[in-house]
Amino acid sequence: MTRDEILHSSPSVFATCITPNIVKKDVILSILPESHIATRMESLRSSQLSNDSNSNMPKATAQIIFQFWDPKDSGEQQLSSLLEVNHRLFWRTEQLEFNLCLEPERFDLVQILQIATVYLPNPSWDVHYDIFRYAGFTNVRTYHYCDVERKALDIENMLQDLQEASEKSVFLLHASAHAPSGINPSMEQWKVIAKVVNQRKLFPFFYLDQQGLASGDLEKDSWPIRYFVDQGLELFVAQSFSKIFGLYSETVGNLIVVVKKPMVTESVNSQFTLLNVSRFSNPPAFGASLVHQVLTSPCLRKEWLEQLETMNKRMRENRLAFVLTLTQMGTPGTWSYIGRQSGLFCSLGLTRDQMNYLARNHNFHLNKYRCFNISCLNKHNMEYFVKALDSTVRNTM
């Protein structure tokens, strides 16, 4: 997209943001002070940030998504600014990271941008519904995601929901390793989704909490985000480091905002400055410091990537061994779909009666989403669990 096209393109969804007079310019933090994205990642790497101890955290965490992105792949990039607006990280130990990333949007997406409708994939964790309601969204809805019969992505009905949604509706999209289903769109399906989102003027909100655990590849697991940016879409990205750094007791999350036009950068940034100061002021820094040290130390980063790959490999092997054992035992049904899932969670697609039988007779308790953590399986308990599942299926047919 040319500069002239950018100047005459549709208004930014962030255009209604204002810069409060009470925010001093010297406290406004911009990862990309340059006005145009043509500076690409060089600006992201060289930007000067504030002097607090974790000021470089947003830059380091954003890089694990955008370090693989080169705007010149699609000509002159249509975005004007890539902005990290939460200054450091959103930290809070008493609530999960996703709550922390979404909570401020009560003021920006709902109050300032007048967006009150959000769509979550079905299924989603119960807490995600509560988070959006607490954030001020008055219309929390779901869109089709899983086809229960085929145990695959329900892409047809998902696209239909996108088409029927009102403009500026927020759509929560899991960039990879959808939880709790483990089912993910293919690259071609993501392209179709992006096209409809763009046509319908919807607002994508990506959730990325298992980058590296879905495929073992940071680049592949974050590809949908970069593709949406390449299509000129404004969006939010909520990163979480609880799973990929083992920091459940030191919750660490990060919010990335991509805007289309440079003139709204300062306004958006100032809104988050106010929110951070009023809500967190000086949040705990221990978990964030750990993440920062690992991401910025070549030696530690290499070790971390190797450990991610080891974890991913073990989960893939668990899935394949699980499917193989079910097949060898002759358990009724088709189980190959389990091998196509990714991430921590394995969705079995059992009926309510089967779940009750499994719990009552074999003391295996699945959550209401009919899934379990695939990493819980090992060579010592695999056969025992498969026998229990086989007995359950045979006795509830």
Side-chain angles (χ1 to χ4, degrees):
M1 183 177 287
T2 66
R3 299 187 183 211
D4 186 63
E5 288 174 324
I6 292 174
L7 291 174
H8 294 88
S9 61
S10 58
S12 166
V13 71
F14 297 100
T16 54
C17 284
I18 60 172
T19 306
N21 293 330
I22 61 173
V23 181
K24 296 181 180 180
K25 192 172 182 63
D26 60 0
V27 302
I28 293 180
L29 173 68
S30 175
I31 290 294
L32 292 186
E34 304 297 331
S35 61
H36 200 269
I37 200 66
T39 53
R40 302 200 305 279
M41 291 309 296
E42 285 76 16
S43 290
L44 189 60
R45 297 188 183 101
S46 63
S47 307
Q48 294 301 313
L49 305 175
S50 59
N51 293 323
D52 70 291
S53 60
N54 288 298
S55 61
N56 286 319
M57 175 65 69
K59 180 172 65 174
T61 54
Q63 282 180 342
I64 67 173
I65 296 177
F66 290 101
Q67 64 180 323
F68 311 103
W69 178 51
D70 188 351
K72 62 187 179 184
D73 290 342
S74 58
E76 185 172 9
Q77 180 60 23
Q78 56 265 60
L79 299 182
S80 300
S81 178
L82 174 64
L83 177 64
E84 185 85 40
V85 295
N86 56 317
H87 299 207
R88 294 167 292 204
L89 289 184
F90 286 87
W91 301 278
R92 182 177 283 178
T93 55
E94 70 271 20
Q95 296 182 8
L96 71 136
E97 68 288 345
F98 192 70
N99 191 349
L100 207 46
C101 290
L102 294 183
E103 192 172 323
E105 277 59 88
R106 170 173 192 157
F107 299 94
D108 281 88
L109 288 179
V110 177
Q111 195 168 29
I112 296 175
L113 303 183
Q114 302 299 306
I115 299 176
T117 301
V118 60
Y119 286 80
L120 278 64
N122 184 20
S124 288
W125 301 122
D126 282 349
V127 67
H128 289 184
Y129 296 97
D130 296 334
I131 288 167
F132 277 99
R133 292 190 185 101
Y134 178 71
F137 286 86
T138 57
N139 190 16
V140 180
R141 310 182 64 175
T142 62
Y143 63 88
H144 289 85
Y145 191 82
C146 292
D147 186 322
V148 178
E149 295 298 324
R150 293 187 296 138
K151 297 179 176 63
L153 182 71
D154 190 358
I155 186 63
E156 295 84 5
N157 285 316
M158 179 182 178
L159 293 175
Q160 185 66 29
D161 290 340
L162 289 168
Q163 288 282 5
E164 295 176 354
S166 58
E167 287 188 6
K168 293 188 178 180
S169 294
V170 176
F171 270 77
L172 182 66
L173 302 168
H174 292 226
S176 57
H178 174 268
S181 74
I183 297 171
N184 306 284
S186 66
M187 190 174 290
E188 291 306 313
Q189 288 171 331
W190 272 121
K191 291 179 180 179
V192 178
I193 293 170
K195 181 178 180 180
V196 177
V197 167
N198 213 344
Q199 290 174 343
R200 293 293 303 140
K201 298 180 181 178
L202 305 174
F203 190 88
F205 194 135
F206 279 99
Y207 182 37
L208 184 63
D209 68 327
Q210 296 187 52
Q211 187 181 6
L213 291 181
S215 67
D217 186 338
L218 293 180
E219 180 178 5
K220 183 177 180 180
D221 291 349
S222 56
W223 178 86
I225 299 171
R226 295 189 301 279
Y227 181 79
F228 272 58
V229 172
D230 273 336
Q231 304 312 299
L233 287 160
E234 295 179 309
L235 53 83
F236 280 7
V237 183
Q239 289 177 283
S240 167
F241 303 96
S242 292
K243 297 180 181 67
I244 61 177
F245 277 89
L247 290 171
Y248 279 97
S249 61
E250 293 288 342
T251 297
V252 180
N254 190 41
L255 179 65
I256 296 173
V257 176
V258 178
V259 301
K260 185 181 293 185
K261 296 188 175 182
M263 63 282 296
V264 303
T265 300
E266 185 174 302
S267 298
V268 174
N269 206 0
S270 66
Q271 293 293 336
F272 279 91
T273 299
L274 288 177
L275 289 169
N276 283 346
V277 171
S278 64
R279 287 171 178 261
F280 312 116
S281 187
N282 293 290
F286 180 69
S289 296
L290 289 177
V291 174
H292 179 252
Q293 287 185 26
V294 171
L295 292 180
T296 56
S297 166
C299 181
L300 292 176
R301 183 187 175 98
K302 180 176 181 294
E303 184 177 354
W304 171 65
L305 291 174
E306 290 172 350
Q307 291 178 0
L308 274 182
E309 173 56 32
T310 298
M311 293 168 62
N312 178 263
K313 180 181 178 182
R314 179 178 177 274
M315 289 189 292
R316 289 200 309 269
E317 291 174 347
N318 273 0
R319 288 185 192 280
L320 295 176
F322 186 41
V323 173
L324 179 61
T325 307
L326 283 167
T327 303
Q328 291 175 341
M329 198 165 290
T331 304
T334 302
W335 303 97
S336 58
Y337 66 89
I338 293 176
R340 295 190 294 271
Q341 297 173 2
S342 65
L344 286 170
F345 298 99
C346 176
S347 177
L348 293 177
L350 300 181
T351 66
R352 180 63 59 182
D353 288 342
Q354 288 173 329
M355 289 176 59
N356 291 336
Y357 186 95
L358 187 63
R360 183 174 60 253
N361 294 279
H362 300 285
N363 206 31
F364 281 106
H365 299 263
L366 303 182
N367 59 37
K368 70 175 187 177
Y369 307 102
R370 299 169 174 80
C371 71
F372 69 99
N373 191 324
I374 192 69
S375 64
C376 293
L377 293 180
N378 55 55
K379 63 181 181 181
H380 302 294
N381 61 20
M382 177 80 73
E383 185 177 355
Y384 182 66
F385 178 61
V386 170
K387 285 182 177 179
L389 187 57
D390 179 80
S391 170
T392 296
V393 174
R394 293 180 186 279
N395 287 287
T396 55
M397 295 177 64

